[in-house]
Structure formats: C-alpha cells, structure tokens
Amino acid sequence: MEAPWVILRRFLGVVPKHAEAEHPAAISAALRAPPRVTILSVAASARPHATYPDKAPYLVAAGTSGLLICFAAGEAPIETADLIVARNFLPPPADPSRQPTTGSAERVPRRPGSMPAACNLRSLGLTPGIHDDDYVITELHVPEPGDRATKLRRFFSGAKLWIETDQLPNPLSGADREWAPSGVVAHEGKLWFFDLSWGLISCDPNVILPGLRFHGLPPGRRIHEPKPFIHTIRWIGVSNRMLRYVDIARDLDLDGRIAEKKVAVWTAIPDHDAGDCDYSIRWLKTYEMSFREIWNDQSYRETKMPRMIPEIVLVNPRNPNVVYFFLRGSLFGVDVPAHRVVEFIKDAHKLVAPGCRRCVLPWDLPPSIANGLVEPIVPFQEQSGSSTSGTSD
C-alpha cells in the first residue's frame, strides 16, 4: 500500500503545561486526511531554550529526513537561530483519531561565530545525507548584483558540524536585479531554491563544492520584480515525483486583449538537448483550465462558494491534476483537467489563518506511521448526496 500524505500547518501548536504529563513526547499530532489540516504539537522538552517560551514553533520544511522546525518571535518568522529536526515518528498505540502519532526532536547546534547567527527561512532546505539516517540542512546566500560571493551554509548531522562554502560562482552573473527568495523544494537529491517572480537555483548539498545552476520560470512567466502576495497565485513543489510550477494568470487572446483568468500547471523535465540532463530542465505545460469552467461545474455550485479567484495552496503530491485552493475560509481540491471539485472543507480559516499564505506544507508520511493510521475523512456525498467530498472542520 502506498504511504498516504497529510497537509501540515506551518504554525505549530504548543503543549500546555497542564497537559505535559499526558503528552510527554517531544512532537505529537493526530494525523488527518486531506483536505483537513494536521497540526503538530511541540512539548516544552523540544524547545531549545525553555527560558524563552514566547518563541513560537514554525515548520520550515517537511521531507523524508524529517521535519525542520524553527523557533522565532512573531507570527510569520523570516529569520531564526533556533532549529530542531523532528524524526523517528512512531504510530499511535490505539485509534489514531484519539491517540497522537509521536516523534523525537533533535536540537540543531547553533552556528559558529564566523557565520551569521540567524538563518533566512525562505532559503533553508532539508535533504537526506549520504549515509543512512543522516540529513543536511542548507541555506543559500545569493549575492547582490555584480558580487560573486555566493555562499552555502550547511549543517551535516553525521558530523554535527556547520560548514560555510563561499566564493561559489554566482549563478545569476550578469543579472541586473536582486534575488527574492520565496522557498525551497527538495527533489531527487537536490535542493531547488526559488524566486516565484524569476526562477530556480538548483544544487546538490551533499557535494563538497556544489555547482549552482539557474533555471528560468516557464515562458512568459518572469516578471520584473516580486509582488507582495505572489505566493497566493504561484506555487512550486513536487507531485508524482516531478517538479511542478502552478500559477493563476490572464492569457491574451489573438488580438492581444486580456482574456479570462486560468490556472495552469507546468512540469519540469530533463533537457537532454542541453547536454547536461542532471541539471538542465525545460518546462512542459501539463494542462490549463479557465476558472469559468470550474465555476460552471455542478460540483462547484454545490459548495455554494462565490465565483471568485481563490488563492493557491498546494498540489496533491501524488496526483498533479488536483490543486488545492483557499477562498473565504474554505479549503478545497479541484481536479483541474476535469474542472471538478473533489474535496471541500468549510470554515478552514481557523486552521490556516492568516489567509493561507505560506501556512501549510504537504508531507509524505514515513512508512513507520503511514499505512492505515490517518484519521479518515467522511465523504461529503455520504452526508448530503453531493458528488463533492469533504466535511466542515
């Protein structure tokens, strides 16, 4: 049986003091099937500094190596000096809807004085190490235009050591604009750092001197500068083992006039013609669909949501046809080629607020807890006779 996946809220919960005796594990969660959101809880024992209880836990990355979590003041942290990696997850002893899944927390040593103390969370990624059970945390520092001092700061769990590699060739050499980090994706042993307005930079963090390679966005998708909420209309991630780019955009008709808004999904495939299939990619438009087609479908009308452009949340990591959106408190999945709503949660705003901007991550569950241990969702059609699956949270 293929391991299931869950949607994790990036703003984690905190185990209150009066409940610590009942929930002694460092990390715990009642796993919930999508489109419901799973909320991890962090115990006091997992905090790097018990004397700073005001620092809120925030999920930086989720992958096969574990979950990278930071602690920072404020609702939407950008930088932090305190990191832990949650791993070694165990299944619940009984009904997963009543007993949580638990995991351990490894504190990541702070960086030495030769490096900046704080990490930029939008440039921080997590990948497996060379040896079993090892992991690598990597931060990319892209120089200002005209500067060649590209840097990688990496933590190797096996050696428990931070290493800074500088003077790497600037992959943006000759560009006249600054890099605006939007996030990081781990895919096929590499990290893909991306700027949603411009492109991606790939590297293999397990190589002593990694090569940095720039990849532009699909044709016509580059804009001159990042917009404040570009992450609500664009998304980059992995689905069905391939790198995907998703956006909401207005196409032009044959006369150059602005046409209706559409959602499009592009797939990155190796560019063998470039002679370097390990790094070079080209974008293939997988599909696109107008929102008018989605709104006119019976499944959308049954949700009673308005005919408004939603925010992009993520793509189903197993099925690239299904894109998740957020609109006026509702979280829903759409089979875009079929223009049909397939999952729907009403009143989900309390789980992903503020908005859904950078507030959730998909996570493929490790085999130790995957099979049969996710609290199932009751199909919506069994409640109301509708063809749309989902329930209110």
Coordinates of all heavy atoms in Angstrom, one line a residue, residues 79-110:
E79 N 13.5 35.0 9.9 CA 14.9 34.5 10.4 C 14.8 33.9 11.7 O 13.9 34.2 12.5 CB 15.9 35.7 10.4 CG 16.2 36.3 9.0 CD 17.3 37.3 9.1 OE1 17.5 37.8 10.2 OE2 17.9 37.6 8.1
T80 N 15.7 33.0 12.0 CA 15.8 32.3 13.3 C 17.2 31.8 13.5 O 17.9 31.5 12.6 CB 14.8 31.2 13.4 OG1 14.8 30.6 14.8 CG2 15.1 30.1 12.5
A81 N 17.5 31.6 14.8 CA 18.8 31.0 15.2 C 18.6 29.6 15.8 O 19.6 28.9 16.1 CB 19.6 31.9 16.1
D82 N 17.3 29.3 16.1 CA 17.0 28.1 16.8 C 16.3 27.1 15.9 O 15.2 27.4 15.4 CB 16.1 28.4 18.1 CG 16.9 29.3 19.1 OD1 18.1 29.0 19.3 OD2 16.3 30.2 19.6
L83 N 16.9 25.9 15.7 CA 16.3 24.9 14.9 C 16.3 23.5 15.6 O 17.1 23.2 16.4 CB 17.1 24.7 13.6 CG 17.2 25.9 12.6 CD1 18.3 25.7 11.6 CD2 15.8 26.2 12.0
I84 N 15.2 22.7 15.3 CA 15.2 21.3 15.6 C 14.7 20.5 14.4 O 14.1 21.0 13.5 CB 14.3 21.0 16.8 CG1 12.8 21.3 16.5 CG2 14.7 21.8 18.1 CD1 11.8 20.9 17.5
V85 N 15.1 19.2 14.4 CA 14.6 18.3 13.4 C 13.8 17.2 14.1 O 14.3 16.5 15.0 CB 15.8 17.7 12.6 CG1 15.3 16.6 11.7 CG2 16.5 18.7 11.8
A86 N 12.5 17.1 13.7 CA 11.6 16.1 14.3 C 11.7 14.9 13.4 O 11.6 15.0 12.2 CB 10.2 16.6 14.4
R87 N 11.9 13.7 14.0 CA 12.1 12.5 13.3 C 11.7 11.3 14.2 O 11.2 11.5 15.3 CB 13.5 12.3 12.7 CG 14.6 12.6 13.7 CD 15.9 13.0 13.0 NE 16.2 12.3 11.8 CZ 17.4 11.8 11.6 NH1 18.4 11.8 12.5 NH2 17.7 11.2 10.4
N88 N 12.0 10.1 13.7 CA 11.7 8.8 14.5 C 10.3 8.8 14.9 O 10.0 8.5 16.1 CB 12.7 8.7 15.7 CG 14.1 8.7 15.3 OD1 14.5 8.1 14.3 ND2 14.9 9.4 16.1
F89 N 9.4 9.0 14.0 CA 8.0 9.0 14.3 C 7.4 7.6 14.5 O 7.8 6.6 13.8 CB 7.2 9.7 13.1 CG 7.3 11.2 13.1 CD1 8.3 11.8 12.4 CD2 6.5 12.0 13.9 CE1 8.5 13.1 12.4 CE2 6.6 13.3 13.9 CZ 7.6 13.9 13.1
L90 N 6.6 7.5 15.5 CA 6.0 6.2 15.9 C 4.5 6.2 15.7 O 3.9 7.3 15.9 CB 6.4 5.8 17.3 CG 7.9 5.7 17.7 CD1 8.1 5.5 19.1 CD2 8.5 4.5 16.9
P91 N 3.9 5.1 15.4 CA 2.4 5.1 15.3 C 1.8 5.2 16.6 O 2.4 4.9 17.6 CB 2.1 3.8 14.6 CG 3.3 2.9 15.0 CD 4.5 3.8 15.0
P92 N 0.5 5.7 16.7 CA -0.2 5.7 17.9 C -0.5 4.3 18.5 O -0.6 3.4 17.7 CB -1.5 6.5 17.6 CG -1.7 6.2 16.1 CD -0.3 6.1 15.5
P93 N -0.6 4.2 19.8 CA -0.9 2.9 20.3 C -2.3 2.3 20.1 O -2.5 1.2 20.3 CB -0.6 3.1 21.8 CG -0.9 4.5 22.1 CD -0.4 5.2 20.8
A94 N -3.2 3.2 19.7 CA -4.6 2.8 19.6 C -5.2 3.6 18.4 O -4.5 3.8 17.4 CB -5.3 3.1 20.9
D95 N -6.4 3.9 18.5 CA -7.1 4.7 17.4 C -6.4 6.0 17.1 O -6.3 6.8 18.0 CB -8.6 4.9 17.9 CG -9.4 5.6 16.9 OD1 -8.9 5.9 15.8 OD2 -10.6 5.8 17.1
P96 N -6.0 6.2 15.9 CA -5.3 7.4 15.6 C -6.1 8.7 15.8 O -5.6 9.8 15.9 CB -4.9 7.3 14.1 CG -5.8 6.2 13.6 CD -6.1 5.3 14.7
S97 N -7.4 8.6 15.7 CA -8.3 9.7 15.9 C -8.3 10.1 17.4 O -8.8 11.2 17.8 CB -9.7 9.5 15.4 OG -10.3 8.4 16.2
R98 N -7.9 9.2 18.3 CA -7.9 9.5 19.7 C -6.5 9.7 20.3 O -6.3 10.4 21.2 CB -8.7 8.4 20.5 CG -10.1 8.3 20.1 CD -10.8 7.2 20.8 NE -12.2 7.0 20.4 CZ -13.2 7.7 21.0 NH1 -13.0 8.5 21.9 NH2 -14.4 7.5 20.5
Q99 N -5.5 8.9 19.8 CA -4.2 8.9 20.3 C -3.2 9.5 19.2 O -3.4 9.2 18.0 CB -3.7 7.5 20.6 CG -4.6 6.8 21.7 CD -4.4 7.5 23.1 OE1 -3.4 8.0 23.4 NE2 -5.5 7.4 23.8
P100 N -2.3 10.4 19.6 CA -1.5 11.0 18.6 C -0.3 10.2 18.1 O 0.1 9.3 18.8 CB -1.0 12.3 19.4 CG -0.9 11.8 20.8 CD -2.1 10.9 21.0
T101 N 0.2 10.5 16.9 CA 1.4 10.0 16.5 C 2.5 10.8 17.1 O 2.4 12.0 17.3 CB 1.5 10.1 14.9 OG1 0.5 9.2 14.4 CG2 2.9 9.8 14.4
T102 N 3.6 10.2 17.5 CA 4.7 10.9 18.2 C 6.0 10.8 17.5 O 6.3 9.9 16.7 CB 4.8 10.3 19.7 OG1 5.1 8.9 19.6 CG2 3.5 10.5 20.4
G103 N 6.9 11.7 17.8 CA 8.2 11.7 17.3 C 9.2 12.4 18.2 O 8.8 13.0 19.2
S104 N 10.5 12.2 17.9 CA 11.5 12.8 18.8 C 12.0 14.1 18.1 O 11.7 14.4 17.0 CB 12.7 11.9 18.9 OG 13.3 11.6 17.6
A105 N 12.8 14.9 18.9 CA 13.3 16.2 18.4 C 14.8 16.3 18.7 O 15.2 16.1 19.8 CB 12.5 17.3 19.1
E106 N 15.5 16.5 17.6 CA 17.0 16.7 17.7 C 17.3 18.2 17.6 O 16.9 18.8 16.6 CB 17.7 15.9 16.7 CG 17.5 14.4 16.7 CD 18.2 13.7 15.6 OE1 18.9 14.3 14.9 OE2 18.0 12.5 15.5
R107 N 17.9 18.7 18.6 CA 18.3 20.1 18.5 C 19.5 20.3 17.6 O 20.5 19.6 17.7 CB 18.6 20.7 19.9 CG 17.4 20.6 20.9 CD 17.8 21.2 22.2 NE 16.6 21.0 23.2 CZ 16.6 21.4 24.4 NH1 17.7 21.9 24.9 NH2 15.6 21.2 25.2
V108 N 19.4 21.3 16.7 CA 20.5 21.6 15.8 C 21.4 22.6 16.5 O 21.0 23.7 16.9 CB 20.0 22.2 14.5 CG1 21.1 22.6 13.5 CG2 19.0 21.2 13.8
P109 N 22.7 22.3 16.6 CA 23.6 23.3 17.2 C 23.6 24.6 16.5 O 23.4 24.7 15.3 CB 25.0 22.6 17.1 CG 24.7 21.1 16.8 CD 23.4 21.1 16.1
R110 N 23.7 25.7 17.3 CA 23.8 27.0 16.7 C 25.0 27.1 15.9 O 26.0 26.5 16.1 CB 23.8 28.1 17.8 CG 22.4 28.3 18.4 CD 22.3 29.6 19.1 NE 20.9 29.9 19.5 CZ 20.5 31.1 19.8 NH1 21.4 32.1 19.9 NH2 19.3 31.4 20.1

